[in-house]
Amino acid sequence: MSLHLDSLRIGLDGRDMVALDLTVNAGEVLTIMGPSGCGKSTLLTALVGALGSPFTMTGRIVLDGRDVTGLPTDKRRMGLLFQDDVLFPHLSVAGNLGFGLPPRTPDRAARIADALAAAELDGMGSRDPATLSGGQRARVALMRMLLSAPRALLLDEPFSRLDADLRAQIRDFTFRQARALPTVLVTHDLEDARAAQGRILSVTGQVLN
Amino acid sequence: MIRAAPGVVIALMALPVAAGLAGAVLPAFGFFPALGGTTVSLAPWRELLAWPGLGAAVRLSLVTGVGATVLSLAITLLIVAAWQGTRSFRAITSALAPLLSLPHAAAAFGLAFLIAPSGWVARALSPWATGWDRPPDLLIVHDTAGLALIAGLVMKEVPFLLLMTLAALGQTDSTRRMLVARSLGYGRVIGWAKAVLPAVYGQIRLPVFAVLAYSMSVVDVALILGPTRPPTLAVQVLDWMTAPDLSLRFTASAGAVLQLLLVLGALGAWVLAERLIATRGIAWAAGGGRGQQLDTPLRLCVSLPIALIGLGVGIGLAGLALWSIAGLWRFPDLMPQSYGLRVWADQSTQLWRLGITTMLLAGLSALIALALSVAALQAGTSRLLGVIYVPLLVPQIAFLPGLSALGLWLGLDGTFGAVLAVHLVFVLPYLALSLSDPWHAWDHRAGLVAATLGAGPWRVLLAVRLPMLLRALCIAFAVGFATSVAQYLPSLLIGAGRIGTVTTEAVALAASGNRRLIGVWALVQMVLPMAVFALALALPALVARRRQGMSVT
């Protein structure tokens, strides 16, 4: 599996904010760094297909050899994690996980139980997400996304809201779970970028260190 | 289907208003073939000008309408300025929902029962303070100056404006503005007026216009509390409209057009006054006066109207309930000598019949309006907001007579469908207004996350957005239901006497003076929307009782 950005340009008012031409292979974490407002999150919005006005985009997004540039968000199979977990408040923990699992998946209950176990949340499927701790919620959000069988993983500063000790733990957990996927991490935190152990680029493709 | 929704909503609101206005303007100039008017003439206007009560009726409409609006706005702004962010403020705002769901007519009856010469106020003061051992012959309720009418309107418009102001506060960064003003040494009220009001007023301008247009042209409240000889212009127009002498329809149409011009003129004058006050206000705000010592007196000053509104509504409604079960009740006794359910039993058949019609109209119109509003909001239109206020700014009495004539011509008047369609004209805007803020405040990332998980637009709407907005949807439904129940003129004029509701029945009893009968019908009119409101608050709480994250939305 791989994510290929073919001459991707995102412009605002006729000026290129984002200019990337690269491939992220399965298991690789590409980190995009830069100050706030540089277009990091805009890049992810474009990758999931939710870029709206006033932005313009040219180039192609190719996932596993398939051009997904024109596809709507729900057909792209790009997993996205935000700073906040964005768990659905009206569903239980298991309900949130089930939302991610495609319909007609065999053994739904077993798959959800496995995901709960992987997130060290055994037996907590019926819990209200609002009653979980920040770290538990972050793990549920990650498992929900992985259950939807994404072909790439996009992380929008997903660790920045967590405490320092929890942060390393969730980060390792995330990278371990995502090892088979091409991953794009957007962050302004150098420690997160180093822990990703991949290339570190700016939104215009310059190599940072 | 979703894409067509904004157009459907706009058409449903704007077309009846436009058709109704055309149906008023043509007969106003003598053109109404069904009644033999085939040539354009100024005869209807001459008839209108020949009516001796015209000057007084016009003056009454202006004075009561503008008076009620100025008073309601002043009380609302003072409440927020003096109490925003305090515990008392939260207590006041929590009383808003039941007050809003209360139909104007029921509140007006409650007030009338309270302040009438034989009402509770007079009873409480008699005979020890007043020396009255029989009700005095005083014109308190239908007073010629329209003071009772103004009071009845203020009682209902303050909660409405307060709700609109609360919504505006959230969008204007009011807390930080207040913090800055307070830290610069400003008193609470003056600081609010100088730092927050300019931003808030811009947001509540259209609701204020709606209050002005409504207060100037209201019919049901004016029938219950307003002067009678002459009545306000709107009531007189209705009189002519429903008179057996069909030639008076021409005069009625001219009166309807005059009512529209009056409202437009008043709105224009209001806008000019806004400019004047804004210019003066800017100089005043830049003058630097802190007004710290004004807080306590102004707070005291505004607690009086709050108390009066609260007591007026509360005790007034208790009075309605008591009269409906009162047997013998002599003046000046505070309580009846005996109680009984005779009137309820007598009326039960009628109550059921009209109650079911009322609930069907309200439930169906609210459901249709809810579906249309969701679809229109989902289609993401901004044109909607411009049109949504049209039915609220054009006086009902100006366009409903024309619409009923149109209905008559098409053979649709007096049918359930026609009444339902006209209810929708008013249910749609209030329901959409109630839904639009929470709809837009919804966290769009939830939708984006759902889409990245493979959920298509329909699944995002049905499985994520609507469940997350359950509380707002229920409240919007209740607002729509209450709006429909409260409609008087649409049911009366389009129903053509064949479709009756508890509201047309209650208001029709106003002139009868039969306290027990009025008590029964006004109570039912009040209970229907309140029960639905209570359900609308209880249902989401029940469904989401195990979901803490849902309580905030």
Side-chain angles (χ1 to χ4, degrees):
Chain A
M1 284 199 258
S2 71
L3 171 65
H4 177 48
L5 308 185
D6 180 8
S7 313
L8 190 73
R9 303 279 180 277
I10 300 172
L12 180 63
D13 304 327
R15 186 180 57 87
D16 277 349
M17 283 180 95
V18 176
L20 290 171
D21 197 353
L22 50 84
T23 303
V24 188
N25 290 310
E28 184 190 354
V29 181
L30 167 72
T31 302
I32 303 286
M33 275 193 82
S36 44
C38 73
K40 303 187 301 276
S41 295
T42 310
L43 167 66
L44 295 192
T45 314
L47 291 183
V48 298
L51 195 68
S53 60
F55 298 101
T56 53
M57 191 186 92
T58 57
R60 293 190 315 145
I61 302 162
V62 182
L63 192 53
D64 290 344
R66 191 169 66 124
D67 185 350
V68 299
T69 319
L71 289 182
T73 307
D74 54 302
K75 301 278 193 311
R76 289 197 181 198
R77 311 210 27 204
M78 295 254 200
L80 175 66
L81 277 189
F82 281 113
Q83 235 175 55
D84 306 315
D85 43 75
V86 198
L87 294 181
F88 302 130
H90 58 294
L91 301 176
S92 65
V93 170
N96 267 280
L97 294 172
F99 192 99
L101 203 57
R104 288 178 296 278
T105 308
D107 298 327
R108 289 182 68 86
R111 293 285 307 274
I112 291 169
D114 288 349
L116 283 168
E120 295 165 41
L121 292 165
D122 302 77
M124 293 170 83
S126 62
R127 286 276 290 270
D128 178 356
T131 64
L132 300 187
S133 72
Q136 291 171 324
R137 290 170 62 94
R139 295 202 294 271
V140 175
L142 177 67
M143 295 318 296
R144 176 178 68 177
M145 195 254 295
L146 292 173
L147 283 177
S148 73
R151 295 206 176 114
L153 183 48
L154 309 175
L155 308 173
D156 190 357
E157 308 210 22
F159 317 119
S160 62
R161 289 273 177 99
L162 300 170
D163 300 339
D165 50 339
L166 201 56
R167 190 177 182 128
Q169 185 202 331
I170 297 292
R171 195 168 53 205
D172 293 345
F173 178 73
T174 305
F175 290 147
R176 208 165 52 240
Q177 294 290 336
R179 60 185 169 265
L181 296 171
T183 301
V184 179
L185 168 69
V186 152
T187 184
H188 61 253
D189 184 279
L190 198 58
E191 203 190 320
D192 286 348
R194 289 206 177 115
Q197 295 178 332
R199 283 175 289 170
I200 305 179
L201 304 179
S202 75
V203 278
T204 48
Q206 284 167 302
V207 178
L208 305 172
N209 274 309
Chain B
M1 186 186 118
I2 294 259
R3 219 175 299 159
V8 173
V9 170
I10 289 170
L12 274 174
M13 290 190 297
L15 285 184
V17 178
L21 284 180
V25 171
L26 292 178
F29 290 94
F31 188 81
F32 195 170
L35 292 179
T38 48
T39 53
V40 172
S41 81
L42 286 175
W45 290 93
R46 278 195 290 275
E47 293 286 323
L48 179 67
L49 289 173
W51 177 50
L54 185 67
V58 166
R59 198 167 53 242
L60 264 177
S61 293
L62 279 171
V63 169
T64 53
V66 175
T69 310
V70 169
L71 267 177
S72 307
L73 183 61
I75 293 171
T76 305
L77 294 179
L78 262 178
I79 289 176
V80 183
W83 304 96
Q84 188 190 351
T86 65
R87 201 179 306 154
S88 324
F89 191 63
R90 281 189 288 280
I92 295 171
T93 51
S94 65
L96 273 182
L99 271 179
L100 275 172
S101 69
L102 184 69
H104 275 88
F109 276 124
L111 182 68
F113 278 25
L114 198 60
I115 62 172
S118 59
W120 252 341
V121 173
R123 286 167 188 268
L125 298 174
S126 301
W128 58 275
T130 59
W132 297 330
D133 47 18
R134 49 188 309 170
D137 189 15
L138 291 174
L139 203 58
I140 301 176
V141 167
H142 297 287
D143 68 295
T144 47
L147 296 180
L149 173 56
I150 293 179
L153 286 168
V154 168
M155 218 161 72
K156 271 295 293 173
E157 298 310 331
V158 167
F160 173 66
L161 286 178
L162 202 51
L163 185 83
M164 291 293 150
T165 311
L166 283 184
L169 283 178
Q171 298 168 8
T172 47
D173 202 13
S174 63
T175 322
R176 291 201 311 164
R177 281 175 185 237
M178 260 324 267
L179 207 60
V180 170
R182 297 281 277 162
S183 70
L184 290 172
Y186 279 85
R188 190 179 271 279
V189 178
I190 298 299
W192 195 89
K194 290 185 170 182
V196 182
L197 175 61
V200 164
Y201 186 76
Q203 303 262 341
I204 60 167
R205 225 172 143 220
L206 282 172
V208 170
F209 289 175
V211 168
L212 179 60
Y214 177 86
S215 301
M216 284 182 70
S217 58
V218 65
V219 170
D220 50 357
V221 182
L223 281 170
I224 297 164
L225 292 170
T228 47
R229 258 169 282 177
T232 60
L233 182 63
V235 171
Q236 185 61 42
V237 170
L238 179 65
D239 243 28
W240 284 326
M241 261 310 288
T242 49
D245 178 1
L246 289 179
S247 69
L248 284 175
R249 293 278 175 111
F250 291 103
T251 323
S253 300
V257 174
L258 177 62
Q259 178 76 66
L260 177 68
L261 294 177
L262 273 182
V263 167
L264 291 178
L267 285 173
W270 189 275
V271 172
L272 285 180
E274 278 177 350
R275 294 223 178 124
L276 204 69
I277 292 169
T279 323
R280 292 281 173 86
I282 286 169
W284 177 66
R290 299 313 203 242
Q292 284 170 330
Q293 64 289 359
L294 287 175
D295 280 355
T296 314
L298 283 174
R299 274 190 168 186
L300 283 176
C301 193
V302 75
S303 22
L304 184 69
I306 298 178
L308 283 180
I309 291 173
L311 288 176
V313 173
I315 302 182
L317 297 181
L320 288 181
L322 203 58
W323 268 111
S324 77
I325 53 166
L328 187 63
W329 193 354
R330 274 196 308 253
F331 190 87
D333 295 350
L334 262 186
M335 299 298 277
Q337 274 90 357
S338 61
Y339 299 90
L341 292 174
R342 189 183 52 79
V343 187
W344 284 94
D346 285 353
Q347 297 292 312
S348 62
T349 325
Q350 268 299 76
L351 279 171
W352 275 113
R353 202 170 60 78
L354 298 188
I356 285 170
T357 312
T358 309
M359 284 193 281
L360 271 178
L361 276 171
L364 280 175
S365 61
L367 262 187
I368 296 170
L370 189 65
L372 283 171
S373 298
V374 165
L377 287 166
Q378 177 75 4
T381 177
S382 51
R383 284 179 302 158
L384 202 60
L385 209 66
V387 186
I388 221 166
Y389 274 95
V390 167
L392 310 185
L393 290 178
V394 177
Q396 289 194 347
I397 193 68
F399 76 93
L400 285 178
L403 202 59
S404 86
L406 191 71
L408 189 68
W409 182 55
L410 294 172
L412 289 172
D413 68 320
T415 61
F416 184 84
V419 178
L420 181 68
V422 178
H423 275 223
L424 262 180
V425 176
F426 304 101
V427 171
L428 261 173
Y430 282 110
L431 191 145
L433 278 178
S434 151
L435 188 59
S436 97
D437 274 348
W439 184 270
H440 290 122
W442 176 70
D443 184 357
H444 280 265
R445 293 176 314 168
L448 187 56
V449 164
T452 62
L453 293 173
W458 277 104
R459 185 156 174 237
V460 173
L461 177 67
L462 297 176
V464 180
R465 193 166 200 171
L466 294 184
M468 283 177 77
L469 292 173
L470 177 66
R471 194 179 140 83
L473 291 169
C474 285
I475 289 177
F477 176 85
V479 166
F481 191 94
T483 306
S484 167
V485 170
Q487 295 306 318
Y488 170 67
L489 264 194
S491 316
L492 182 77
L493 289 180
I494 310 298
R498 273 169 296 204
I499 304 286
T501 67
V502 291
T503 302
T504 56
E505 185 69 20
V507 178
L509 290 167
S512 76
N514 186 332
R515 297 277 165 101
R516 290 167 183 83
L517 216 48
I518 293 173
V520 164
W521 284 93
L523 199 63
V524 172
Q525 196 214 4
M526 170 191 102
V527 164
L528 284 180
M530 282 206 172
V532 171
F533 239 102
L535 281 177
L537 293 176
L539 179 74
L542 189 72
V543 171
R545 69 189 180 284
R546 297 183 54 207
R547 300 281 175 263
Q548 290 172 19
M550 292 284 287
S551 55
V552 285
T553 48

